[in-house]
Amino acid sequence: MNNKSFVSINDYSKDEILELMNTASKFEENPNQNLLKDKVVASVFFEPSTRTRLSFETAINRLGGRVIGFTDASSSSVTKGESLKDTIKMLSNYADLIVMRHPLEGAARYASEISDVPVINAGDGANQHPTQTMLDLYSIYKTQGSLDDLNIFMVGDLKYGRTVHSLLMAMADFNPTFNFISPESLKMPRAYTSYLMERGIPYYEHLEFTDILERADVLYMTRVQKERFADVIEYEKVKNVYVLRNAMLEGTKSNLKVLHPLPRVNEIALDVDENEKAYYFEQALNGVYARQAIISKVMDL
Amino acid sequence: MKKELQVSAIKNGTVIDHIPPHLLFKVIKLLELEKIKTAITIGNNYTSNKLGVKAIIKIEEKYFEDNEINKIALIIPNVKLSIIKNYEVVDKKVIEVPDKVVGLVECMNPKCITNHEDIVTRFKVTDKKEIDLKCLYCEKITDYNNIEIRK
Ligand SMILES: [Zn+2]
């Protein structure tokens, strides 16, 4: 088993997260570094995710590495009927690092056990997407100057949104306060609220936006997807309740930043884009630096 | 009649006592008792000071391996086993719930990689009272009511 792999956000301690924040900011200052010269990285996407793939491949290219791989399983003869085990065995012979996205949960952990080279999880089904979490953390770190003592609002689909779950777990070490705004049917699962309770971390649940928004340091928006509702009427009722509009940001703290993992549907009105508190586009760019930092950590560069 | 005589004594083997009656058939299936060729005595709905009613299984000439015993512990936490030699109880074991469960149980998450490739399942027991098993791969919890033993 290769223990340098990065499979789950829970693999990293508080100190390691802070170390990565620091490295990411160095890459932001100086993104083009030839650390991956003469290295080959396998970027294998068993399901398509253009956004994540381009971010990784940009990070690899800025580090001077070369990329092999495929962009979805159907376009690759390599995966036809072949077990994941055999595919990973082959790839770990070819490449110095494997970046893998897979629709099945736990696929990345399994790959990290088989592979002789480090594996970075670029998303395994609904389970983990730890590089997304790292870029969220870096965005918070960068805009707030620290990860400590922040009041974090999470809005929308808190039940199925894996990004909010991973972010919650990662932030738990930094003395946060949480406010959750979601429809009843998409509430933060009990597994997470009881985790907060055990650790004495305050959290508050709301059914809609209220004036307490003025206390927020970070406003993390998510998509409320129609598919998540058993009842269409229920969706129609709530779909506009969780939309952030520019006027709602009046009176909020000057350091507030609005984050969103993208792509958005309608949960952030276009008039928010012009507000200097809107941060979601820069957030995406931070993904390149965060991924450069992660690659350099797992590769011992 | 003395309580111990509710089920006849065995000469050599194992007695599994204090089984809650509703779990008796699950235990039988779990331990694959149908594959055992020696004499097996199964008693159900006996009176018990502790449980009200209980079930007992007595198996002649059978001593369980640790991994077989771990299976029982997942279904009946803190079950009591008596090892019998020459009609005497030579050892009594209370089987505690293990910290880790390897290869025994199916992950209940249909999208888990372990249900799609030939992989030995691995779980961490995150709650020994309720019996919650956290999959090392997909990180989902398989709870007590969904525990299925791997074929
Ligand atoms: Zn699993």
Side-chain angles (χ1 to χ4, degrees), chain A residues 245-286:
Chain A
R245 296 173 207 289
N246 196 32
M248 294 157 72
L249 292 174
E250 218 169 286
T252 54
K253 288 168 83 168
S254 59
N255 62 307
L256 171 70
K257 289 289 181 257
V258 179
L259 273 61
H260 187 296
L262 300 180
R264 69 175 150 179
V265 186
N266 70 333
E267 55 280 348
I268 300 177
L270 294 178
D271 63 2
V272 179
D273 295 359
E274 306 310 318
N275 195 310
E276 59 179 18
K277 292 170 183 172
Y279 194 72
Y280 26 92
F281 296 118
E282 290 96 321
Q283 182 188 357
L285 176 59
N286 287 336

Side-chain angles (χ1 to χ4, degrees), chain B residues 72-99:
Chain B
I72 312 175
L74 291 178
I75 302 302
I76 319 167
N78 303 314
V79 65
K80 207 163 90 190
L81 257 71
S82 301
I83 312 303
I84 313 290
K85 287 194 173 146
N86 204 17
Y87 297 108
E88 300 267 333
V89 177
V90 295
D91 195 9
K92 272 189 193 251
K93 295 188 197 170
V94 175
I95 308 306
E96 282 172 19
V97 180
D99 297 321

Side-chain angles (χ1 to χ4, degrees), chain B residues 107 109 112 114 135 137-138:
Chain B
C107 179
N109 174 10
C112 179
T114 62
C135 176
Y137 293 98
C138 73

Side-chain angles (χ1 to χ4, degrees), chain A residues 8 10 83-85 102-107 109-110 113 126-128, chain B residues 109-114 116-119 122 134 136-140:
Chain A
S8 168
N10 311 322
S83 69
L84 179 59
K85 182 177 185 175
H102 200 283
L104 292 173
E105 296 159 28
R109 179 71 65 199
Y110 181 55
E113 291 177 351
N127 181 34
Q128 286 273 342
Chain B
N109 174 10
K111 293 201 72 185
C112 179
I113 186 77
T114 62
H116 295 262
E117 292 227 356
D118 186 15
I119 302 173
R122 287 162 203 270
K134 185 174 179 179
L136 179 96
Y137 293 98
C138 73
E139 307 185 15
K140 296 283 176 304

Side-chain angles (χ1 to χ4, degrees), chain B residues 42-78:
Chain B
I42 296 168
N44 201 6
N45 296 327
Y46 291 112
T47 53
S48 153
N49 294 336
K50 236 168 79 187
L51 297 171
V53 281
K54 65 171 182 181
I56 299 176
I57 301 173
K58 298 190 175 197
I59 308 149
E60 296 263 12
E61 305 295 337
K62 171 77 186 173
Y63 304 102
F64 288 98
E65 305 283 336
D66 278 358
N67 67 334
E68 292 177 289
I69 285 174
N70 279 346
K71 286 192 207 177
I72 312 175
L74 291 178
I75 302 302
I76 319 167
N78 303 314

Side-chain angles (χ1 to χ4, degrees), chain A residues 153 155 209 213 217-221 244 249 256-259:
Chain A
F153 280 56
V155 183
F209 283 104
L213 203 56
D217 298 305
V218 173
L219 182 52
Y220 199 99
M221 301 291 299
L244 183 70
L249 292 174
L256 171 70
K257 289 289 181 257
V258 179
L259 273 61

